[in-house]
Amino acid sequence: MNRHRLTLDLPDRAGLLAEVSAWIRDHQGDVSSAQHHVEGGRLYLRFCFRSPRQGDALRGDLAKLASDLRAHARLADPDRPARVVVLVSREGHCLYDLLARQADGDFPFVIPCVISNHETHRRVVEAHGIPFHHVPVSPGTKAAAMARIRDLFAEAQGDWMVLARYMQVLDAPTCEALAGRILNIHHAFLPSFPGAKPYHQAHAKGVKLVGATCHFVTADLDAGPIVEQDVIRVDHADSPEAMARRGRDIEVTVLARGLRSAVEDRVFLAGQRTVVFR
Amino acid sequence: MNRHRLTLDLPDRAGLLAEVSAWIRDHQGDVSSAQHHVEGGRLYLRFCFRSPRQGDALRGDLAKLASDLRAHARLADPDRPARVVVLVSREGHCLYDLLARQADGDFPFVIPCVISNHETHRRVVEAHGIPFHHVPVSPGTKAAAMARIRDLFAEAQGDWMVLARYMQVLDAPTCEALAGRILNIHHAFLPSFPGAKPYHQAHAKGVKLVGATCHFVTADLDAGPIVEQDVIRVDHADSPEAMARRGRDIEVTVLARGLRSAVEDRVFLAGQRTVVFR
Amino acid sequence: MNRHRLTLDLPDRAGLLAEVSAWIRDHQGDVSSAQHHVEGGRLYLRFCFRSPRQGDALRGDLAKLASDLRAHARLADPDRPARVVVLVSREGHCLYDLLARQADGDFPFVIPCVISNHETHRRVVEAHGIPFHHVPVSPGTKAAAMARIRDLFAEAQGDWMVLARYMQVLDAPTCEALAGRILNIHHAFLPSFPGAKPYHQAHAKGVKLVGATCHFVTADLDAGPIVEQDVIRVDHADSPEAMARRGRDIEVTVLARGLRSAVEDRVFLAGQRTVVFR
Amino acid sequence: MNRHRLTLDLPDRAGLLAEVSAWIRDHQGDVSSAQHHVEGGRLYLRFCFRSPRQGDALRGDLAKLASDLRAHARLADPDRPARVVVLVSREGHCLYDLLARQADGDFPFVIPCVISNHETHRRVVEAHGIPFHHVPVSPGTKAAAMARIRDLFAEAQGDWMVLARYMQVLDAPTCEALAGRILNIHHAFLPSFPGAKPYHQAHAKGVKLVGATCHFVTADLDAGPIVEQDVIRVDHADSPEAMARRGRDIEVTVLARGLRSAVEDRVFLAGQRTVVFR
């Protein structure tokens, strides 16, 4: 028996759940989980099922179903690890966490390479057996650096790009070329405190919780659709630096949970919002 | 169009989702939400749908489907409020919260009566226009008091009984007669600290969080299947009394969330565990 | 032995803790808790202590100490309940929670009266034995209504005014007259989503947590110093109405915790920020 | 100016805060934070202060004060990193997190060496420039292995030993020799689910939150005083393995927070409980 994961995003009408689940049954599928959401006139579906059929054999029939239903459909092998290219600057906490998760097999992904504008983390990355690419970025070389990053992503056959506290803004060609495939971790509970130094903003405002947000990267800085968020309690005794220190734990887990949802096909874009099946 | 809520609990096999969703479609149903869980060889399903058909008309056909699938099936009107009989002793925080929720229309339920072994809360309950029954309990009168409570529940046409910090243990006949329909709030994160004075137990042990648990009442004290839990942070400076004070906020919300899940047919018993659809 | 609570807010310099704690010792005080925070060149102190001396006797000496140290100092009797005037409109959840807390003796406060621009909650308030004042507000009568509210507050000898989902903006004279004594509950995690319909704003933005903020009321709407905040998880399946329903539980607890901190003299204004001792 | 951190644990009586803060003032100390707790007849104090005096000069005078007050007193340099020896088995998430925190300078500690009963993590540890010692443990060699671990700890001049998911029970001589200096992370919300396979126990019981506990190691397995705890939400859809996966994020942060509190002298043993200043 083969394990399959089927996701669909289609215009809603009565009878669709019956139609799609009949399609699975007719392909000898035994459903182990089904998730369903209707919003803004569209239906979002995610199924895990087992079938004696192979993925390639199913995909042909699925294309026909998708065409009939005007659906974006995707059939994935849940055991195939996603290829996640990680970009990082000097702060290593999110990178190290992802390295640990890959090593532990926390969820099905591999890091085919790490790209950084600094050499800081080369040794540890290479100790994990992962190629490390140093791509410096300066005002004069930004476009070339971004092109190099896109090339490295392509060579690595990346599925997802993760900005793990990467302190450079991606340029518009990169945002466009990889639209819907780049995740960022922002160190604030968006929409509060976008942009630079959010912990200093949070301290000045006197908030009692600081947060982190994993969101899709779009050309609009820190305004892409939100995938995951969390917060942690701070108090008056926490300086901006102490807030940053407390917040790092949240950045790490929010990015990891957002990425996990993405690579497991739990995330759908729904306009400016996301559907994220648990 | 009529709104319907359909829940099924049945032996799992391939094709069931297709079969049940086809049944809904064939009864002109348009599914707005679908939830699905497989565990221990059983399938748990919950659907919300709209249909021009009336509930009574659907129920006849549903009985046949349920029989074919060996399912426990239930079709409910999501707009019909559940009838929740509340039992309380002296501490009023959970009772007052439920009164406020009924008044605000927080979720679809009504309180047909409140039963207490003390007179403490009569005036406020009656100000809400709700009958208040004083049923004192003493060692010698316990069986009679319990019988009286069962009678009041029956007269009130209760769907659910809630022990909102009711400091009497229900007797076995009551637990049996209303099995699967009584919810209790215990002021600890079970299985830690069952029984009496859980906040004192928590203080002595030096835990850093205290919790509350909403669970089904069975003859086995504080050991029935868990429906909802939550915790709140405490620290060394909190006396047992301070822990109790902090914990009350959690008791209130955990009970309300558990009850809401129950009256909205989100809760299924699965042996010693529960399935609780969000 | 009498219980006392001493708070000071003064310009910081070396030796102040020694000086103030010597003052307590010299007045036969036995310290049970001490809290200390330095920020922006000021020192914030809070002590609980027992002494055979009476509060009135201590206050004379304290005035001299305060003058010497250029401190705002306050000596309070922790057993004297604060007088909290509650303003409410139609939504009753925060009001009902405060009524329950007063009835349960959750923390030392009493509600000398409730003021509302609607008659909705008269019966329940009066069942608690609390006077209820209906003060309608319309564009033409606003100034008079606000003056009436100030009068009722004065007659009730209020220490604190709480806007428990009061849907009117207080006018400038009221904000000024009671500066530092009015707490509001805003149904969002400020500074996100100030103003009207925050849950709709939150839904449109697709945030994964919704929050509530208890803050001081100033003439600047929803921008006064923050006292307490919390959040609760939501997901894509929650409509704005469902977010509002989940959020209400947070509004209730955030307001109650903020109010409790205030009446127990745990809250100090520090510019746009607050110091809130646990 | 030198930064100092002073902690005292002493029999309580009136006037002690005045006495100790006078001592600091008399040694030209300027207090930046002060924490105070009374419990069970003992007083726990923690101060951070700046003074032109050197630590060694202060320590002589402190010994006299401590003797007068029958106090355990400690004066530490907050800038001196604590030396934390990490023990680990095959699961690397807690180890990797601590490596990342050391690299990032998250709080003042260094890892002088890592000890493991498996070779799994040698390469990554050594890439951080940290010695890695493989000390296999088998039933026949346990006493010798434990002696070797104590020797390595002594050679490394360890201040703290951390069991970062180390799957061996330390023997009694080790627990005794390092009493009050060994922290363990247990993957459950103690006192629930001590011992083996806590996530399987949690799944069987159907709890709605899983937790982790950082506690002192004593000869009594998983029963030492608790330093830090946290929980994360799970639901019916989570298998024991999924609970374990979610729980790992909590293990990591609970261990790190507990360790940070310990190395910053925020933790006091108070019988079976701990005082943990924030």
Side-chain angles (χ1 to χ4, degrees), chain D residues 182-258:
Chain D
I182 316 177
L183 293 176
N184 183 43
I185 181 72
H186 181 71
H187 41 316
F189 184 65
L190 293 172
S192 290
F193 314 136
K197 291 197 170 285
Y199 291 120
H200 285 78
Q201 295 181 55
H203 183 268
K205 183 66 193 170
V207 293
K208 302 304 182 189
L209 303 163
V210 295
T213 302
C214 174
H215 63 96
F216 283 101
V217 172
T218 61
D220 197 358
L221 184 68
D222 296 336
I226 293 167
V227 177
E228 173 63 337
Q229 301 187 290
D230 211 343
V231 294
I232 194 168
R233 192 158 281 272
V234 293
D235 73 15
H236 58 270
D238 290 308
S239 63
E241 292 72 29
M243 287 184 177
R245 192 176 44 63
R246 292 191 196 276
R248 277 197 288 265
D249 290 356
I250 294 298
E251 297 167 28
V252 160
T253 50
V254 165
L255 176 57
R257 292 200 302 244

Side-chain angles (χ1 to χ4, degrees), chain B residues 37 39 189-193 203-209 223 226-231 233 236-237 257 273-277, chain D residues 37 39 189-193 203-209 223 226-231 233 236-237 257 273-277:
Chain B
H37 178 64
E39 176 175 325
F189 184 63
L190 293 172
S192 291
F193 314 134
H203 184 268
K205 183 66 193 167
V207 294
K208 302 304 182 190
L209 304 163
I226 294 167
V227 176
E228 174 63 336
Q229 300 186 291
D230 211 342
V231 294
R233 191 159 283 271
H236 57 270
R257 292 201 303 245
R273 292 168 32 91
T274 59
V275 174
V276 183
F277 288 127
Chain D
H37 178 63
E39 176 175 324
F189 184 65
L190 293 172
S192 290
F193 314 136
H203 183 268
K205 183 66 193 170
V207 293
K208 302 304 182 189
L209 303 163
I226 293 167
V227 177
E228 173 63 337
Q229 301 187 290
D230 211 343
V231 294
R233 192 158 281 272
H236 58 270
R257 292 200 302 244
R273 294 168 31 92
T274 59
V275 173
V276 183
F277 288 127

Side-chain angles (χ1 to χ4, degrees), chain A residues 192 203 208 229 273-274, chain C residues 192 203 208 229 233 273-274:
Chain A
S192 290
H203 184 268
K208 303 303 182 190
Q229 301 187 292
R273 293 168 31 92
T274 59
Chain C
S192 290
H203 184 267
K208 303 303 183 191
Q229 302 187 291
R233 191 158 283 271
R273 295 167 32 91
T274 58

Side-chain angles (χ1 to χ4, degrees), chain C:
Chain C
M1 292 289 273
N2 304 293
R3 301 206 310 143
H4 301 286
R5 184 172 62 221
L6 173 63
T7 48
L8 298 103
D9 166 356
L10 68 170
D12 191 35
R13 62 165 169 77
L16 286 171
L17 181 62
E19 200 154 338
V20 177
S21 49
W23 184 91
I24 297 174
R25 181 198 54 202
D26 295 346
H27 292 79
Q28 297 171 270
D30 187 2
V31 173
S32 60
S33 83
Q35 290 164 298
H36 176 282
H37 178 64
V38 177
E39 177 174 324
R42 291 193 76 80
L43 173 63
Y44 304 89
L45 292 171
R46 180 180 185 272
F47 301 89
C48 294
F49 65 94
R50 286 183 167 74
S51 162
R53 312 265 184 109
Q54 302 286 343
D56 288 341
L58 293 173
R59 271 186 202 94
D61 283 8
L62 180 61
K64 180 169 178 344
L65 179 76
S67 169
D68 290 352
L69 303 179
R70 290 185 295 138
H72 303 289
R74 172 176 150 85
L75 186 80
D77 173 356
D79 298 316
R80 175 194 169 270
R83 299 178 67 80
V84 179
V85 172
V86 177
L87 273 67
V88 68
S89 292
R90 280 205 184 88
E91 283 196 78
H93 52 291
C94 289
L95 167 66
Y96 285 25
D97 177 70
L98 294 174
L99 292 172
R101 286 176 200 271
Q102 174 185 332
D104 279 350
D106 186 39
F107 58 93
F109 78 107
V110 292
I111 302 175
C113 69
V114 171
I115 302 170
S116 181
N117 53 335
H118 296 283
E119 284 282 0
T120 318
H121 301 295
R122 177 182 294 277
R123 194 157 68 138
V124 170
V125 169
E126 292 181 349
H128 281 86
I130 295 171
F132 179 92
H133 304 292
H134 180 212
V135 181
V137 181
S138 64
T141 65
K142 178 126 183 187
M146 292 290 139
R148 171 87 176 117
I149 287 169
R150 292 195 300 275
D151 288 347
L152 288 168
F153 183 82
E155 284 163 26
Q157 297 181 281
D159 296 306
W160 294 94
M161 178 179 285
V162 166
L163 311 188
R165 300 302 306 278
Y166 182 64
M167 305 308 281
Q168 300 289 328
V169 178
L170 298 188
D171 65 359
T174 308
C175 293
E176 262 167 57
L178 301 177
R181 300 167 74 188
I182 316 177
L183 294 176
N184 182 43
I185 180 74
H186 181 71
H187 40 317
F189 184 63
L190 292 171
S192 290
F193 315 136
K197 291 198 169 283
Y199 291 120
H200 286 79
Q201 296 180 55
H203 184 267
K205 183 66 194 170
V207 293
K208 303 303 183 191
L209 304 163
V210 295
T213 303
C214 174
H215 64 96
F216 282 101
V217 172
T218 62
D220 197 359
L221 184 68
D222 296 337
I226 294 167
V227 177
E228 173 62 338
Q229 302 187 291
D230 210 344
V231 295
I232 193 168
R233 191 158 283 271
V234 293
D235 73 16
H236 57 270
D238 290 308
S239 64
E241 292 72 29
M243 287 184 176
R245 194 176 42 64
R246 291 190 196 278
R248 277 196 287 266
D249 290 355
I250 293 298
E251 297 166 29
V252 160
T253 51
V254 165
L255 176 57
R257 292 201 302 244
L259 176 61
R260 174 184 167 248
S261 293
V263 306
E264 293 183 355
D265 286 342
R266 299 174 183 278
V267 182
F268 297 75
L269 279 165
Q272 281 305 299
R273 295 167 32 91
T274 58
V275 174
V276 184
F277 288 127
R278 192 177 193 275

